[in-house]
């Protein structure tokens, strides 16, 4: 765009304008006069300088305002950073310097009932391991389950609640879930070692003065042997049958302690606690068997009925690995919610549904508890 310069103040402005926008004079050069012309530029110079200073001051003020805003923002950012680093604000970095998000709070389902089956387990040698059944209610319980043994010198328990025998003795395993607890009793008793009883030589007899004819015993095709040389009975009245092989004639039976066990034709019956020797004699030879009776002399009989509540089995014999299901019956119907336990888990196991399985030889008592009533069944395992 074309411009022209004011003659009076020197301001440049567009050529299509008639007057100078600063001093208001036209571009026409004034006529010469005798009087000395007034220098309007000298009068307008202070105005121009004042306007320039004002514009400079306004620009300086705007710059100062921008600087103040920037500094304020930096100070505020620094304060927020420090507060978040100290953990005062709920966002940013933790004291460890890691960015974290606040986790959603999980709902805790409390344990309201805790039971253990069986209530007692037994060991006979070090290193044996056994698991047991833990029942928690409700089914969706989220509280932590822990198992702790009271005496680690007798047995240990791992995070899977598997018990391992260490040394002879007794201890308890405490199972905890929230504020609920249950106790498992652990026993460890190694089987007794007994020395065979010494037999006395038969007394010498004097020969008769007059010779008598004697018949020679018939020769046997095999040595005399007894069917079981060492066995255990667990309750008074329990029986077992012994047989002898290799005998050509009749067999005579005897017991050295009839207060412990009696024998009749090979049938041995437990009488009281202790150890007895059963002797079978045939063809002038003898074989012996050791019977061990392990039970309390004054043990109370088991209870199999209470009011209209009865147990489905009261005396069962199983072979190792064989199983059956036991139940409580009321009014001709099976009762649910029964708690089952075994007196000797090394002989027979029972699960929460009443399934009994033979796991060794001997006798165990299976007990069911319902509404405070306990009914039992004897299980004999061969």
């Amino acid at each position: 765009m074309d411009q022209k310069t004011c003659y009076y103040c020197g301001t440049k402005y567009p050529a299509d304008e008639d007057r100078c926008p600063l001093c208001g004079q036209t571009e026409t050069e004034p006529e010469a006069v005798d009087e000395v012309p007034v220098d309007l530029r000298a009068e307008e110079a202070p105005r121009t300088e004042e306007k320039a200073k004002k514009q400079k001051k306004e620009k300086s003020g705007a710059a100062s305002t921008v600087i103040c805003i920037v500094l304020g923002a930096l100070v505020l950012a620094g304060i927020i950073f420090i507060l978040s680093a100290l953990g005062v604000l709920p966002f940013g970095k933790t004291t460890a310097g890691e960015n974290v998000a606040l986790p959603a709070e999980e709902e805790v389902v409390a344990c309201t009932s805790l039971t253990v089956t069986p209530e007692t387990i037994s060991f006979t040698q070090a290193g044996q391991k056994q698991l047991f059944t833990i029942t928690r209610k409700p089914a969706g319980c989220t509280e932590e389950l822990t198992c702790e043994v009271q005496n680690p010198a007798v047995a240990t328990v791992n995070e899977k609640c598997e018990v391992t025998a260490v040394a002879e003795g007794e201890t308890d395993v405490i199972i905890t879930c929230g504020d609920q607890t249950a106790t498992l009793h652990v026993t460890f008793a190694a089987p007794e070692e007994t020395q065979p009883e010494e037999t006395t030589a038969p007394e010498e007899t004097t020969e008769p003065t007059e010779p008598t004819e004697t018949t020679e015993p018939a020769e046997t095709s095999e040595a005399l042997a007894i069917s079981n040389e060492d066995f255990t009975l667990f309750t008074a009245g329990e029986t077992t049958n012994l047989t002898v092989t290799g005998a050509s004639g009749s067999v005579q039976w005897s017991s050295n302690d009839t207060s412990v066990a009696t024998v009749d034709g090979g049938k041995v019956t437990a009488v009281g606690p202790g150890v007895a020797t059963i002797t079978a004699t045939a063809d002038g030879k003898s074989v012996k068997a050791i019977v061990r009776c392990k039970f309390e002399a004054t043990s109370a009989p088991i209870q199999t009925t209470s009011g209209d509540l009865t147990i489905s089995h009261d005396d069962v014999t199983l072979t190792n690995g064989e199983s059956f299901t036991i139940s409580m019956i009321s009014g001709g119907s099976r009762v649910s919610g029964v708690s089952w336990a075994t007196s000797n888990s090394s002989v027979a196991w029972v699960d929460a549904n009443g399934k009994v399985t033979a796991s060794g030889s001997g006798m165990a008592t299976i007990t069911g508890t319902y509404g405070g009533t306990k009914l039992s069944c004897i299980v004999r395992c061969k």
Side-chain angles (χ1 to χ4, degrees):
M1 177 183 291
D2 294 335
Q3 292 184 340
K4 53 187 176 182
T5 301
C6 179
Y7 177 79
Y8 296 98
C9 64
T11 300
K12 292 183 177 182
Y13 58 95
D16 56 355
E17 293 184 6
D18 296 333
R19 295 179 177 275
C20 174
L22 183 60
C23 64
Q25 298 295 326
T26 63
E27 72 276 18
T28 305
E29 183 176 350
E31 296 178 357
V33 294
D34 294 335
E35 296 179 358
V36 179
V38 178
D39 190 358
L40 295 178
R41 288 178 295 180
E43 293 179 1
E44 294 296 333
R47 296 182 182 178
T48 304
E49 184 179 355
E50 182 179 353
K51 183 177 181 180
K53 286 182 179 181
K54 183 178 181 181
Q55 292 177 346
K56 183 177 181 181
K57 185 175 181 181
E58 290 176 352
K59 291 181 180 179
S60 177
S64 299
T65 301
V66 173
I67 293 173
C68 289
I69 293 173
V70 172
L71 290 177
L74 291 176
V75 171
L76 180 60
I79 293 173
I80 294 174
F81 176 81
I82 293 173
L83 293 178
S84 61
L86 294 175
V88 176
L89 297 179
F91 55 84
K93 294 184 178 180
T94 64
T95 54
E98 298 178 354
N99 290 324
V100 297
L102 293 177
E105 185 177 352
E106 297 183 359
E107 182 180 359
V108 177
V109 179
C111 182
T112 59
S113 175
L114 183 66
T115 57
V116 58
T117 305
E119 297 178 348
T120 301
I121 58 176
S122 302
F123 296 104
T124 57
Q125 64 182 19
Q128 285 183 323
K129 296 183 178 182
Q130 289 193 31
L131 285 169
F132 48 91
T133 302
I134 300 172
T135 304
R136 295 190 294 172
K137 293 181 181 179
C141 170
T142 60
E143 292 186 300
E144 183 182 6
L145 179 71
T146 61
C147 296
E148 181 180 1
V149 69
Q150 296 293 295
N151 187 357
V154 175
T156 60
V157 63
N158 60 17
E159 65 278 359
K160 297 180 181 179
C161 289
E162 181 181 47
V163 181
T164 303
V166 177
E168 290 190 75
E170 295 187 13
T171 187
D172 288 329
V173 175
I174 307 300
I175 302 99
T176 304
C177 180
D179 59 359
Q180 301 294 315
T181 60
T183 302
L184 172 73
H185 188 63
V186 179
T187 62
F188 181 175
E192 297 178 0
E193 295 183 1
T194 59
Q195 298 295 331
E197 294 185 358
E198 295 182 359
T199 58
T200 58
E203 296 181 359
E204 295 182 359
T205 58
T206 57
E207 295 182 357
T209 55
E210 293 182 1
T212 57
E213 293 183 0
T214 58
T215 58
E216 294 292 333
E219 294 183 0
T220 58
S221 59
E222 56 181 331
L224 200 65
I226 197 166
S227 58
N228 197 345
E229 296 181 348
D230 195 326
F231 58 95
T232 303
L233 301 178
F234 294 92
T235 184
E238 187 178 358
T239 63
T240 190
N241 290 315
L242 298 177
T243 58
V244 171
T245 58
S248 60
S250 61
V251 179
Q252 303 297 320
W253 297 89
S254 63
S255 170
N256 74 332
D257 191 345
T258 56
S259 66
V260 175
T262 60
V263 61
D264 181 14
K267 181 179 180 180
V268 181
T269 302
V271 177
V275 179
T277 301
I278 305 299
T279 303
T281 304
D283 303 331
K285 299 178 183 179
S286 298
V287 287
K288 299 178 184 294
I290 303 296
V291 55
R292 309 173 194 276
C293 296
K294 292 186 175 181
F295 52 85
E296 295 293 334
T298 58
S299 58
I302 63 172
Q303 185 176 0
T304 60
T305 182
S306 177
D308 67 342
L309 192 65
T310 61
I311 197 164
S312 60
H313 302 75
D314 56 12
D315 197 319
V316 179
T317 300
L318 302 174
T319 58
N320 194 11
E322 191 176 2
S323 64
F324 74 99
T325 300
I326 193 169
S327 60
M328 281 192 184
I329 300 172
S330 177
S333 300
R334 181 179 178 181
V335 176
S336 61
V338 180
S339 177
W340 297 101
T342 179
S343 64
N344 192 341
S345 58
S346 63
V347 174
W349 276 94
V350 61
D351 64 15
N353 297 319
K355 182 179 180 180
V356 181
T357 304
S359 55
S361 61
M363 189 199 77
T365 301
I366 305 300
T367 301
T369 303
Y370 177 76
T373 300
K374 292 186 177 182
L375 302 181
S376 302
C377 169
I378 293 175
V379 177
R380 310 173 196 275
C381 301
K382 297 180 180 180

